[in-house]
Amino acid sequence: MLAMPFVRAAFRSAAFIALLACVLPAVAGSLGVNPIRVALSAARPTAAITLNNTGSAAIVVQMQVVKWTAVSGEDRYDPSADVIVTPPIVSIVPGGSQIVRVGLSTDPDPVRELAYRLFIEEVPPPPTADYQGLQVALRIGLPLFVEPLQAAHPKFQWSAVRSGSDEVSLSLNNIGTAHAQVLSVKLSAPGESEPLATHSAASYLLPGQSRELSVKLARPWQGTQLRVSANTDQGVTETDLELQVP
């Protein structure tokens, strides 16, 4: 177990139960968050996140960390005490900021990256007696990854099926030990510079998770060999595929 003052203090505080990877702040409504993705490890077991109130009224923000896994290809979130956030609820004055900290309360996995989400939710103020509108609570889910003790990397496994005269269905499976964020996909015929199609994806792929992408072709094409170029947060990867026909 990781023993540190931060974790001990976080456990002493009352438990509060209640979204792409970059260093630029996220701003939604009157709440700004920086950074919008966090990586923890045995060497870096804690991280600081800054919340900014850019509005003209005080806001109350509550936070919760949940375990993020993939079940049958779909994202699943479950309560977890593996990562602690402190303080779990804050009030921020107009134009003010608040630093919250996240930290590991357990050791990383030896070989596999673990994924969590830090949900940051604005608590709407009580409505006035004459208020008849709808109050909407802002909710941001920050990805939080815990690096394993050994080096971990994503590994893609692709397949492609022609699903129509101008459409290709791509299947992508991450058989590696770390996540990847797929930002865009380009299809081309081997040896040709002009792409057959481009597709914006912007989706995370956890270890063991798969995604299905339906891609429209930009021009008529009857070939059987495809080159898939995927732009990810880990770099660009290319794969040649045999196009299957159902």
Side-chain angles (χ1 to χ4, degrees):
M1 298 286 290
L2 292 171
M4 62 193 76
F6 165 76
V7 173
R8 291 196 295 268
F11 273 119
R12 287 197 298 267
S13 62
F16 189 88
I17 304 301
L19 40 190
L20 306 168
C22 62
V23 297
L24 297 176
V27 180
S30 61
L31 179 63
V33 181
N34 185 36
I36 63 167
R37 186 168 69 177
V38 175
L40 301 178
S41 66
R44 301 183 305 279
T46 66
I49 299 168
T50 302
L51 309 179
N52 296 300
N53 181 1
T54 60
S56 57
I59 58 174
V60 176
V61 180
Q62 63 188 23
M63 284 150 288
Q64 180 192 17
V65 179
V66 296
K67 185 72 173 291
W68 178 16
T69 56
V71 178
S72 300
E74 299 297 325
D75 292 333
R76 173 172 171 172
Y77 304 118
D78 295 296
S80 175
D82 295 350
V83 180
I84 303 300
V85 55
T86 185
I89 185 168
V90 297
S91 178
I92 312 175
V93 300
S97 63
Q98 171 73 46
I99 293 177
V100 298
R101 301 183 187 279
V102 291
L104 292 175
S105 64
T106 187
D107 291 330
D109 188 90
V111 298
R112 192 180 182 91
E113 178 189 72
L114 300 178
Y116 302 83
R117 285 272 189 180
L118 171 60
F119 283 108
I120 303 171
E121 186 171 4
E122 187 175 352
V123 180
T128 60
D130 59 347
Y131 182 78
Q132 297 182 354
L134 177 66
Q135 290 185 301
V136 179
L138 167 69
R139 196 180 194 216
I140 302 172
L142 264 67
L144 193 158
F145 300 103
V146 179
E147 299 173 6
L149 300 179
Q150 299 180 15
H153 306 280
K155 185 177 180 181
F156 295 146
Q157 187 177 68
W158 292 89
S159 63
V161 177
R162 182 181 287 278
S163 51
S165 60
D166 62 345
E167 191 171 14
V168 170
S169 179
L170 291 175
S171 177
L172 171 58
N173 186 23
N174 182 3
I175 60 174
T177 54
H179 83 278
Q181 186 183 23
V182 181
L183 305 173
S184 62
V185 174
K186 181 175 69 174
L187 301 184
S188 59
E192 294 186 6
S193 58
E194 183 182 357
L196 293 167
T198 56
H199 180 83
S200 295
S203 60
Y204 281 98
L205 205 64
L206 302 180
Q209 190 172 23
S210 60
R211 298 283 189 193
E212 300 292 331
L213 304 176
S214 182
V215 181
K216 288 281 188 180
L217 300 180
R219 54 188 171 87
W221 178 75
Q222 296 299 322
T224 59
Q225 297 291 324
L226 268 181
R227 173 162 293 174
V228 179
S229 177
N231 181 25
T232 78
D233 61 344
Q234 309 292 319
V236 177
T237 178
E238 290 189 340
T239 304
D240 289 333
L241 297 175
E242 179 76 23
L243 183 63
Q244 303 173 36
V245 178

